[in-house]
Amino acid sequence: MTTLPPGAAPPGFNPARLVALMRAGVERCGLDLRGITVLTEAASGAYASTAILAALAGADRVHAVVKDTAYGSAEAVRAEVEGLAAMAGVADRLRIATGDPVELAAGADLVTNSGHVRPIDARFIERLPDHAVIALMYEVWEYRPADIDLAACAARGIPVVGVNERHPSVDVFSFLGPLAVQELHAAGIPIYGSRIALLCDNPFAPFIERGLTGMGAEVLTVDHPGSLPSRCWDAVLVALRPRGAPVFGADDVARVRRQSPGTVLVQYWGDVDRDAVHQVGLPLWPPAAPRPGHMAVLLSAIGPDPIVRLQAGGLRAAEWVLRNGVASCPPGGIAELLPTPSASSSPTGDEKAWA
């Protein structure tokens, strides 16, 4: 297996290619942030693109909050983002901030729900301008309550805007199949000729299934662990919507271990009872648990392309609502509105507030 030196990125992440992907993303989405101040994060790898995309789209000012994380020190991330900004010719529009993002809220027209900006709580929301918009940066049915205080947004009339990741100019869901292939390969499952059970109760299902069958796998998709038939699986891929407790619990673990002892349990999305897995000795991938409610493998694992598409689309969706208002969005467009607590129904995969 070919390995990279510690801390090195694959060649597909080289800065010149990243800048080219970002320029293409701005053009593909029609992203135009002229006259807008953006508050986002300065991050590493593919996520360094968020602030640069906003600047490439003509934002008057981009405030990018940086923090020390497991992915790199604030100093290293600052250097990476500033280097990309210089290469893209937008360094004059970018301001790296190391303090509390709340202090920048009053001047922000568009705020992204990015890691270094979160949580977007009541203290943050009360300082936003009346016209401000929050970009969720993913689809509304994937909303995590810990990210944004929706009650505070409703009280202020601040819209939270998701991005239609299946919109032709974004098309992030088409990368879900290749991502599942990458994760299964990393787990030692060759896909071709393998029998794979896909546990998926959400719109990811057809995209993951297509990616696996296209590589020669025999795939059965069910929407609940209890519906999984008894047979010898090479892998069980868990891609279930998080619900605040394990979506694959101790009973499910015991059933799979009993029916098919050599099966590899692969966590893609949805929390797994890892204590139960380790107790019965069921093979599990990846070794480290993701944060609750988060995917176990990042889209950037297969390259920067899907992340750049997602960030460009998230910015464009919020820009649309910021310029046109919540009532003027065409059905099936790039933007979708996250219902507030005052709404009569909650968002699901099939019941969206499309915009």
Side-chain angles (χ1 to χ4, degrees):
M1 179 183 293
T2 303
T3 58
L4 293 165
F13 286 78
N14 75 79
R17 183 169 188 268
L18 272 174
V19 172
L21 289 173
M22 289 186 280
R23 292 190 187 279
V26 170
E27 181 177 357
R28 185 173 54 249
C29 290
L31 182 61
D32 180 2
L33 296 175
R34 288 175 293 180
I36 293 172
T37 294
V38 176
L39 174 56
T40 186
E41 69 174 357
S44 58
Y47 289 93
S49 65
T50 315
I52 312 301
L53 281 162
L56 280 170
D60 285 358
R61 182 69 55 87
V62 181
H63 295 288
V65 179
V66 65
K67 298 177 181 178
D68 290 324
T69 71
Y71 299 103
S73 67
E75 182 179 353
V77 172
R78 175 193 286 270
E80 182 177 347
V81 173
E82 288 181 341
L84 278 174
M87 178 176 286
V90 294
D92 60 321
R93 294 199 178 115
L94 182 66
R95 298 291 183 273
I96 305 292
T98 56
D100 187 342
V102 172
E103 301 302 322
L104 299 168
D109 304 306
L110 189 161
V111 179
T112 69
N113 175 41
S114 302
H116 296 340
V117 181
R118 296 194 300 259
I120 301 177
D121 55 18
R123 184 175 65 103
F124 187 111
I125 292 162
E126 70 182 9
R127 299 196 183 191
L128 288 172
D130 292 340
H131 65 271
V133 169
I134 297 172
L136 192 59
M137 305 302 278
Y138 49 75
E139 292 204 351
V140 296
W141 63 272
E142 301 172 84
Y143 166 70
R144 298 183 297 261
D147 284 7
I148 303 169
D149 187 332
L150 285 188
C153 289
R156 288 286 322 279
I158 302 293
V160 180
V161 184
V163 54
N164 176 6
E165 297 180 44
R166 290 163 277 186
H167 189 276
S169 66
V170 184
D171 196 23
V172 169
F173 273 28
S174 292
F175 291 88
L176 294 171
L179 183 65
V181 168
Q182 192 276 345
E183 190 178 25
L184 284 157
H185 279 169
I189 305 298
I191 311 297
Y192 180 78
S194 298
R195 289 176 293 185
I196 299 171
L198 171 61
L199 296 178
C200 193
D201 60 354
N202 57 74
F204 288 0
F207 298 90
I208 297 175
E209 184 174 337
R210 185 168 65 232
L212 298 179
T213 56
M215 291 287 290
E218 177 188 339
V219 180
L220 175 68
T221 302
V222 295
D223 63 5
H224 188 276
S227 303
L228 188 65
S230 176
R231 63 177 300 183
C232 185
W233 303 102
D234 293 293
V236 173
L237 184 69
V238 177
L240 297 168
R241 189 179 306 182
R243 57 171 183 250
V247 296
F248 200 85
D251 291 344
D252 306 313
V253 171
R255 186 184 311 110
V256 170
R257 179 67 175 82
R258 183 175 60 252
Q259 295 173 351
S260 182
T263 295
V264 178
L265 183 65
V266 180
Q267 184 179 4
Y268 188 91
W269 192 42
D271 303 320
V272 168
D273 187 339
R274 286 178 168 253
D275 289 339
V277 171
H278 297 318
Q279 185 175 355
V280 303
L282 188 69
L284 174 65
W285 189 264
R291 287 178 292 165
H294 288 252
M295 291 186 69
V297 57
L298 297 176
L299 276 167
S300 56
I302 56 173
D305 308 52
I307 300 301
V308 173
R309 284 174 170 267
L310 179 60
Q311 303 308 95
L315 289 167
R316 176 62 173 126
E319 179 223 330
W320 180 273
V321 172
L322 184 61
R323 294 195 188 281
N324 299 288
V326 297
S328 61
C329 304
I334 198 170
E336 52 186 32
L337 301 174
L338 181 62
T340 63
S342 61
S344 60
S345 61
S346 61
T348 70
D350 298 319
E351 298 173 352
K352 291 191 172 188
W354 288 105

